[in-house]
Short mmCIF file of all heavy atoms in Angstrom, two decimals:
data_model
loop_
_atom_site.label_atom_id
_atom_site.label_comp_id
_atom_site.label_asym_id
_atom_site.label_seq_id
_atom_site.Cartn_x
_atom_site.Cartn_y
_atom_site.Cartn_z
N LYS B 142 -37.13 22.00 11.00
CA LYS B 142 -36.95 22.92 9.89
C LYS B 142 -38.25 23.65 9.55
O LYS B 142 -38.25 24.61 8.78
CB LYS B 142 -36.45 22.17 8.65
CG LYS B 142 -34.99 21.73 8.79
CD LYS B 142 -34.57 21.04 7.52
CE LYS B 142 -33.08 20.71 7.54
NZ LYS B 142 -32.68 20.08 6.29
N VAL B 143 -39.38 23.14 10.05
CA VAL B 143 -40.68 23.75 9.80
C VAL B 143 -41.46 23.69 11.11
O VAL B 143 -41.31 22.76 11.89
CB VAL B 143 -41.47 22.97 8.70
CG1 VAL B 143 -42.83 23.59 8.45
CG2 VAL B 143 -40.67 22.90 7.41
N ILE B 144 -42.27 24.73 11.35
CA ILE B 144 -43.12 24.71 12.54
C ILE B 144 -44.57 24.57 12.08
O ILE B 144 -45.05 25.38 11.28
CB ILE B 144 -43.01 26.03 13.34
CG1 ILE B 144 -41.55 26.43 13.55
CG2 ILE B 144 -43.77 25.92 14.66
CD1 ILE B 144 -40.81 25.65 14.56
N ALA B 145 -45.22 23.55 12.58
CA ALA B 145 -46.62 23.34 12.20
C ALA B 145 -47.52 23.84 13.32
O ALA B 145 -47.21 23.71 14.50
CB ALA B 145 -46.88 21.86 11.96
N THR B 146 -48.64 24.47 12.93
CA THR B 146 -49.67 24.81 13.90
C THR B 146 -50.80 23.82 13.70
O THR B 146 -51.35 23.71 12.61
CB THR B 146 -50.17 26.24 13.68
OG1 THR B 146 -49.04 27.11 13.73
CG2 THR B 146 -51.17 26.64 14.75
N LEU B 147 -51.10 23.06 14.76
CA LEU B 147 -52.10 22.01 14.63
C LEU B 147 -53.34 22.36 15.45
O LEU B 147 -53.24 22.95 16.52
CB LEU B 147 -51.53 20.67 15.14
CG LEU B 147 -50.25 20.17 14.49
CD1 LEU B 147 -49.78 18.89 15.18
CD2 LEU B 147 -50.47 19.92 13.01
N GLN B 148 -54.46 21.96 14.93
CA GLN B 148 -55.70 22.15 15.69
C GLN B 148 -56.25 20.77 16.05
O GLN B 148 -56.35 19.88 15.22
CB GLN B 148 -56.72 22.90 14.82
CG GLN B 148 -58.07 22.99 15.50
CD GLN B 148 -59.04 23.84 14.71
OE1 GLN B 148 -58.67 24.86 14.12
NE2 GLN B 148 -60.29 23.41 14.68
N LEU B 149 -56.60 20.62 17.33
CA LEU B 149 -57.14 19.35 17.80
C LEU B 149 -58.60 19.54 18.17
O LEU B 149 -58.92 20.38 19.02
CB LEU B 149 -56.36 18.84 19.03
CG LEU B 149 -54.92 18.37 18.79
CD1 LEU B 149 -53.96 19.55 18.65
CD2 LEU B 149 -54.46 17.46 19.91
N ASP B 150 -59.48 18.80 17.52
CA ASP B 150 -60.91 18.92 17.78
C ASP B 150 -61.37 17.81 18.71
O ASP B 150 -61.13 16.65 18.43
CB ASP B 150 -61.70 18.82 16.47
CG ASP B 150 -61.30 19.92 15.51
OD1 ASP B 150 -61.32 21.10 15.92
OD2 ASP B 150 -60.93 19.60 14.35
N GLY B 151 -62.03 18.19 19.77
CA GLY B 151 -62.54 17.18 20.70
C GLY B 151 -62.61 17.77 22.09
O GLY B 151 -61.88 18.71 22.40
N PRO B 152 -63.43 17.22 22.91
CA PRO B 152 -63.61 17.77 24.25
C PRO B 152 -62.41 17.49 25.16
O PRO B 152 -62.19 18.19 26.13
CB PRO B 152 -64.86 17.04 24.76
CG PRO B 152 -64.95 15.78 23.94
CD PRO B 152 -64.36 16.10 22.62
N LEU B 153 -61.67 16.46 24.84
CA LEU B 153 -60.51 16.10 25.66
C LEU B 153 -59.35 15.78 24.72
O LEU B 153 -59.52 15.02 23.76
CB LEU B 153 -60.86 14.86 26.50
CG LEU B 153 -59.74 14.22 27.31
CD1 LEU B 153 -59.17 15.21 28.34
CD2 LEU B 153 -60.23 12.96 28.01
N VAL B 154 -58.19 16.37 24.97
CA VAL B 154 -57.04 16.12 24.10
C VAL B 154 -55.84 15.67 24.94
O VAL B 154 -55.79 15.93 26.14
CB VAL B 154 -56.64 17.37 23.28
CG1 VAL B 154 -57.79 17.86 22.42
CG2 VAL B 154 -56.13 18.46 24.21
N VAL B 155 -54.90 15.00 24.27
CA VAL B 155 -53.66 14.58 24.94
C VAL B 155 -52.51 15.33 24.29
O VAL B 155 -52.40 15.38 23.06
CB VAL B 155 -53.45 13.05 24.80
CG1 VAL B 155 -52.13 12.63 25.43
CG2 VAL B 155 -54.62 12.29 25.41
N LEU B 156 -51.67 15.93 25.14
CA LEU B 156 -50.54 16.71 24.62
C LEU B 156 -49.27 16.34 25.36
O LEU B 156 -49.31 16.03 26.54
CB LEU B 156 -50.79 18.21 24.83
CG LEU B 156 -52.08 18.81 24.27
CD1 LEU B 156 -52.23 20.26 24.74
CD2 LEU B 156 -52.07 18.73 22.75
N SER B 157 -48.14 16.38 24.65
CA SER B 157 -46.88 16.26 25.38
C SER B 157 -46.01 17.47 25.04
O SER B 157 -45.98 17.93 23.90
CB SER B 157 -46.17 14.95 25.05
OG SER B 157 -45.86 14.87 23.68
N THR B 158 -45.33 17.96 26.05
CA THR B 158 -44.60 19.22 25.90
C THR B 158 -43.12 18.95 25.65
O THR B 158 -42.51 18.09 26.28
CB THR B 158 -44.72 20.07 27.18
OG1 THR B 158 -44.28 19.27 28.29
CG2 THR B 158 -46.15 20.49 27.43
N ARG B 159 -42.55 19.71 24.73
CA ARG B 159 -41.13 19.56 24.41
C ARG B 159 -40.29 20.01 25.60
O ARG B 159 -40.49 21.12 26.12
CB ARG B 159 -40.80 20.42 23.19
CG ARG B 159 -39.32 20.56 22.95
CD ARG B 159 -39.02 21.23 21.65
NE ARG B 159 -39.22 20.30 20.56
CZ ARG B 159 -38.54 20.33 19.39
NH1 ARG B 159 -37.66 21.27 19.18
NH2 ARG B 159 -38.77 19.46 18.44
N PRO B 160 -39.37 19.18 26.06
CA PRO B 160 -38.54 19.57 27.20
C PRO B 160 -37.81 20.87 26.89
O PRO B 160 -37.29 21.05 25.78
CB PRO B 160 -37.56 18.41 27.34
CG PRO B 160 -38.25 17.25 26.71
CD PRO B 160 -39.10 17.82 25.61
N GLY B 161 -37.82 21.78 27.86
CA GLY B 161 -37.11 23.04 27.68
C GLY B 161 -37.94 24.12 27.02
O GLY B 161 -37.54 25.28 27.00
N SER B 162 -39.09 23.77 26.47
CA SER B 162 -39.90 24.78 25.79
C SER B 162 -40.81 25.55 26.74
O SER B 162 -41.23 26.65 26.45
CB SER B 162 -40.76 24.13 24.70
OG SER B 162 -40.01 23.94 23.55
N PHE B 163 -41.16 24.92 27.83
CA PHE B 163 -42.00 25.58 28.83
C PHE B 163 -41.16 25.70 30.10
O PHE B 163 -40.68 24.69 30.61
CB PHE B 163 -43.26 24.75 29.11
CG PHE B 163 -44.15 24.60 27.89
CD1 PHE B 163 -43.95 23.57 26.99
CD2 PHE B 163 -45.18 25.51 27.66
CE1 PHE B 163 -44.75 23.44 25.88
CE2 PHE B 163 -45.99 25.38 26.53
CZ PHE B 163 -45.77 24.34 25.64
N ALA B 164 -40.99 26.91 30.57
CA ALA B 164 -40.16 27.08 31.75
C ALA B 164 -40.92 26.59 32.98
O ALA B 164 -42.13 26.78 33.10
CB ALA B 164 -39.80 28.54 31.91
N ALA B 165 -40.19 25.95 33.89
CA ALA B 165 -40.80 25.55 35.15
C ALA B 165 -40.79 26.77 36.06
O ALA B 165 -39.74 27.23 36.48
CB ALA B 165 -40.00 24.41 35.77
N VAL B 166 -41.96 27.36 36.30
CA VAL B 166 -42.01 28.55 37.17
C VAL B 166 -42.85 28.22 38.41
O VAL B 166 -43.76 27.39 38.36
CB VAL B 166 -42.61 29.77 36.44
CG1 VAL B 166 -41.61 30.36 35.47
CG2 VAL B 166 -43.89 29.40 35.73
N GLU B 167 -42.54 28.90 39.46
CA GLU B 167 -43.25 28.58 40.70
C GLU B 167 -44.57 29.34 40.76
O GLU B 167 -44.66 30.49 40.34
CB GLU B 167 -42.36 28.93 41.89
CG GLU B 167 -41.00 28.24 41.78
CD GLU B 167 -40.39 27.97 43.13
OE1 GLU B 167 -40.67 28.73 44.07
OE2 GLU B 167 -39.61 26.98 43.23
N ALA B 168 -45.61 28.68 41.27
CA ALA B 168 -46.92 29.31 41.50
C ALA B 168 -47.46 28.63 42.74
O ALA B 168 -48.38 27.82 42.67
CB ALA B 168 -47.83 29.10 40.30
N PRO B 169 -46.88 28.95 43.87
CA PRO B 169 -47.07 28.11 45.07
C PRO B 169 -48.52 28.07 45.54
O PRO B 169 -49.24 29.06 45.47
CB PRO B 169 -46.20 28.78 46.11
CG PRO B 169 -45.40 29.82 45.41
CD PRO B 169 -46.06 30.11 44.11
N ARG B 170 -48.93 26.93 45.99
CA ARG B 170 -50.22 26.70 46.64
C ARG B 170 -50.10 25.39 47.37
O ARG B 170 -49.15 24.63 47.14
CB ARG B 170 -51.35 26.65 45.62
CG ARG B 170 -51.26 25.50 44.65
CD ARG B 170 -51.98 25.80 43.38
NE ARG B 170 -51.39 26.97 42.73
CZ ARG B 170 -52.11 27.89 42.07
NH1 ARG B 170 -53.41 27.79 41.97
NH2 ARG B 170 -51.50 28.91 41.51
N THR B 171 -51.03 25.13 48.21
CA THR B 171 -51.00 23.86 48.92
C THR B 171 -51.91 22.90 48.18
O THR B 171 -53.10 23.14 48.01
CB THR B 171 -51.51 24.01 50.37
OG1 THR B 171 -50.90 25.19 50.90
CG2 THR B 171 -51.17 22.80 51.19
N ALA B 172 -51.31 21.83 47.70
CA ALA B 172 -52.08 20.89 46.91
C ALA B 172 -52.82 19.92 47.80
O ALA B 172 -52.33 19.50 48.85
CB ALA B 172 -51.14 20.13 45.98
N THR B 173 -54.01 19.61 47.40
CA THR B 173 -54.78 18.58 48.08
C THR B 173 -54.26 17.24 47.61
O THR B 173 -54.05 17.05 46.41
CB THR B 173 -56.26 18.64 47.66
OG1 THR B 173 -56.60 20.01 47.48
CG2 THR B 173 -57.16 17.96 48.65
N VAL B 174 -54.04 16.34 48.52
CA VAL B 174 -53.53 15.03 48.11
C VAL B 174 -54.67 14.03 48.08
O VAL B 174 -55.44 13.91 49.02
CB VAL B 174 -52.42 14.54 49.07
CG1 VAL B 174 -51.89 13.18 48.62
CG2 VAL B 174 -51.30 15.56 49.12
N GLU B 175 -54.79 13.38 46.96
CA GLU B 175 -55.75 12.28 46.85
C GLU B 175 -54.95 11.05 46.55
O GLU B 175 -53.93 11.12 45.88
CB GLU B 175 -56.71 12.51 45.67
CG GLU B 175 -57.72 13.60 45.86
CD GLU B 175 -58.55 13.80 44.58
OE1 GLU B 175 -58.68 12.82 43.80
OE2 GLU B 175 -59.03 14.92 44.38
#
Side-chain angles (χ1 to χ4, degrees):
Chain B
K142 288 182 174 182
V143 179
I144 312 286
T146 304
L147 303 176
Q148 174 175 322
L149 290 78
D150 300 308
L153 173 62
V154 302
V155 177
L156 305 173
S157 61
T158 55
R159 168 172 284 210
S162 278
F163 297 88
V166 285
E167 306 208 332
R170 64 205 61 216
T171 315
T173 324
V174 181
E175 288 176 27

